[in-house]
Amino acid sequence: MPLELLPTQDARAYDEVVARLPVTSALQGWGYGEARRELGQVPTRYFIQDQGQIVGALQLIRKRLVPGFDLLYAPRGPVLSSMAQLPDLAPALRKLARPTDTLIKIEPPFARTPELIPEQIGPWRRTEAEQPEHTITVNLMRPPAELLSNLHSMARRNVKTAQKFGVEVVSGGEELFEEFWTIFTATNERAQLGAFPKPYYLTMLRSGASGGGDAYIVLARHDGRALAGGFFLAMGAITNYLFGGSIKDDRPAEGSGAEGAERKDAKAPTAFYWGAMQDAQQRGYRSFDFWGIPRKLDEGKHSFGVYRMKENFGGEKVWFPGYELPLSPLAPLIVRGLRWRKTQNNLRKRGSAEDVL
């Protein structure tokens, strides 16, 4: 039976549904949609109803593709009681679409291994997701000692080294943002990754924790300076490491007696990851999503080192597939054009046609 979509302006009631259902993501939370407004995109939220009962939630972002053609996009959504409901959602989405809406793209948040990802779910066809499809997740429902023992031996050594050097891991909100921003922008410049304007991240930090979700920052400091850090968005049982990075401690070594002598590596990035996992446990989250590893491993890419670092923390590799529902006969042509534009942008910025992840 087709499902119904009921529009809502009640942020708290909407987030309560997003937080409690099993097939869910923080990117379907109200706060993430408010951040998208900073990019000129328009979020609309709906309760999904089945015979009068709320069985899901959906945040659709309307994005302009080219003049006269829009995309309806559900980042890591929709939120559902069961994936079996997904085919029945298509008729309701077709009804609410405008004449300018060319395509609906969804990213149902059900983790799978590659061989278990269906190419088609009812009318939905497999497509490239906008969010990172490949990631590593760690089950936090284990004692800290067991989590530590599950780390790669090198990561465990680096955790001990960081502790020996007195690296401090702290978490909080907007009061930590400027330290995070310094690290984040330096990392993006070094790796030629690019970023959205600053208000996008500030809005997500403020709005992400205002309803039923959570948004926070974790930093690893050595001798008072933040050297690694990340931005987290959480909902329900899962926290997601969305943005972050690290910088080199270029301060001279203290008490070395040699002018210009470098400090020893305090292993702040490892301390950050381990501290963020411990902090997530203390906040009550049951799963930690590292948010993105490369589709193809290439030792020459910045993302390869990031992948190796994340892999050291003993998680499980999973995939979050994307699906699409064309609304116009021009949809395939527009999708190919957008893919070409993205490839050209990658070539101009990084000298490679491949995406970052």
Side-chain angles (χ1 to χ4, degrees), residues 212-258:
D214 195 9
Y216 61 95
I217 288 169
V218 178
L219 299 175
R221 295 184 182 131
H222 183 228
D223 288 344
R225 183 182 182 187
L227 300 177
F231 184 116
F232 292 81
L233 191 66
M235 181 69 73
I238 305 169
T239 188
N240 307 277
Y241 167 48
L242 297 187
F243 319 106
S246 63
I247 57 176
K248 184 179 179 180
D249 194 347
D250 54 6
R251 296 172 294 180
E254 296 181 352
S256 64

Side-chain angles (χ1 to χ4, degrees), residues 183-199:
I183 293 169
F184 183 53
T185 53
T187 301
N188 287 336
E189 291 171 3
R190 184 175 69 243
Q192 298 178 300
L193 299 179
F196 293 125
K198 193 174 186 179

Side-chain angles (χ1 to χ4, degrees), residues 17 21 34 82 91 94 109 115 149 152 156 184 212-213 216 218 232 271 312 314 334 346 349:
V17 174
L21 290 179
E34 292 308 297
S82 166
R94 288 186 184 276
E115 64 275 9
S149 67
H152 187 280
R156 291 199 301 273
F184 183 53
Y216 61 95
V218 178
F232 292 81
N312 284 342
I334 292 174
N346 287 340
K349 287 184 175 180

Side-chain angles (χ1 to χ4, degrees), residues 255-267:
S256 64
E259 186 176 348
E262 294 185 357
R263 289 174 176 246
K264 292 184 178 180
D265 185 359
K267 307 300 180 183

Side-chain angles (χ1 to χ4, degrees), residues 50-122:
D50 183 7
Q51 301 181 64
Q53 298 294 316
I54 293 178
V55 296
L58 174 66
Q59 177 164 245
L60 277 180
I61 310 292
R62 180 170 274 108
K63 300 172 57 176
R64 177 56 49 92
L65 298 176
V66 294
F69 297 95
D70 295 337
L71 167 71
L72 290 177
Y73 168 52
R76 283 280 177 97
V79 173
L80 298 167
S81 302
S82 166
M83 279 296 296
Q85 299 162 330
L86 190 57
D88 296 328
L89 186 61
L93 286 169
R94 288 186 184 276
K95 286 182 182 179
L96 66 82
R98 299 174 182 174
T100 54
D101 294 331
T102 305
L103 184 74
I104 303 174
K105 180 179 284 191
I106 62 173
E107 298 164 343
F110 70 114
R112 292 291 187 271
T113 53
E115 64 275 9
L116 296 178
I117 295 176
E119 286 299 311
Q120 191 162 346
I121 303 177

Side-chain angles (χ1 to χ4, degrees), residues 18-324:
V18 175
R20 69 175 170 82
L21 290 179
V23 184
T24 192
S25 168
L27 271 64
Q28 281 290 289
W30 197 278
Y32 186 80
E34 292 308 297
R36 285 279 182 160
R37 287 190 194 275
E38 297 291 339
L39 307 179
Q41 301 169 11
V42 182
T44 310
R45 292 86 172 192
Y46 304 88
F47 293 123
I48 302 173
Q49 291 192 134
D50 183 7
Q51 301 181 64
Q53 298 294 316
I54 293 178
V55 296
L58 174 66
Q59 177 164 245
L60 277 180
I61 310 292
R62 180 170 274 108
K63 300 172 57 176
R64 177 56 49 92
L65 298 176
V66 294
F69 297 95
D70 295 337
L71 167 71
L72 290 177
Y73 168 52
R76 283 280 177 97
V79 173
L80 298 167
S81 302
S82 166
M83 279 296 296
Q85 299 162 330
L86 190 57
D88 296 328
L89 186 61
L93 286 169
R94 288 186 184 276
K95 286 182 182 179
L96 66 82
R98 299 174 182 174
T100 54
D101 294 331
T102 305
L103 184 74
I104 303 174
K105 180 179 284 191
I106 62 173
E107 298 164 343
F110 70 114
R112 292 291 187 271
T113 53
E115 64 275 9
L116 296 178
I117 295 176
E119 286 299 311
Q120 191 162 346
I121 303 177
W124 300 98
R125 302 182 312 204
R126 183 80 164 86
T127 190
E128 180 181 356
E130 295 204 13
Q131 302 301 325
E133 289 192 6
H134 309 78
T135 187
I136 294 176
T137 61
V138 173
N139 178 9
L140 297 178
M141 299 294 289
R142 291 176 286 182
E146 186 176 334
L147 279 177
L148 182 61
S149 67
N150 201 40
L151 269 57
H152 187 280
S153 58
M154 182 175 66
R156 291 199 301 273
R157 288 196 301 270
N158 288 346
V159 167
K160 293 178 180 178
T161 298
Q163 292 171 345
K164 176 183 175 182
F165 277 95
V167 176
E168 176 192 24
V169 178
V170 296
S171 69
E174 196 171 343
E175 74 280 2
L176 303 181
F177 182 81
E178 289 302 326
E179 290 177 279
F180 157 77
W181 188 249
T182 297
I183 293 169
F184 183 53
T185 53
T187 301
N188 287 336
E189 291 171 3
R190 184 175 69 243
Q192 298 178 300
L193 299 179
F196 293 125
K198 193 174 186 179
Y200 171 78
Y201 304 94
L202 276 169
T203 299
M204 194 183 304
L205 185 60
R206 293 164 180 162
S207 301
S210 62
D214 195 9
Y216 61 95
I217 288 169
V218 178
L219 299 175
R221 295 184 182 131
H222 183 228
D223 288 344
R225 183 182 182 187
L227 300 177
F231 184 116
F232 292 81
L233 191 66
M235 181 69 73
I238 305 169
T239 188
N240 307 277
Y241 167 48
L242 297 187
F243 319 106
S246 63
I247 57 176
K248 184 179 179 180
D249 194 347
D250 54 6
R251 296 172 294 180
E254 296 181 352
S256 64
E259 186 176 348
E262 294 185 357
R263 289 174 176 246
K264 292 184 178 180
D265 185 359
K267 307 300 180 183
T270 302
F272 156 69
Y273 280 119
W274 174 240
M277 289 169 60
Q278 291 180 300
D279 179 76
Q281 270 196 324
Q282 292 166 7
R283 290 172 181 263
Y285 299 116
R286 299 195 294 271
S287 181
F288 187 103
D289 189 339
F290 277 94
W291 206 259
I293 57 175
R295 294 184 180 91
K296 298 178 182 179
L297 296 182
D298 182 346
E299 294 188 16
K301 293 176 66 175
H302 164 81
S303 57
F304 183 81
V306 175
Y307 160 71
R308 286 299 189 205
M309 172 67 81
K310 293 177 179 180
E311 186 185 43
N312 284 342
F313 286 84
E316 176 188 10
K317 298 182 182 69
V318 293
W319 275 247
F320 288 91
Y323 291 89
E324 66 182 13

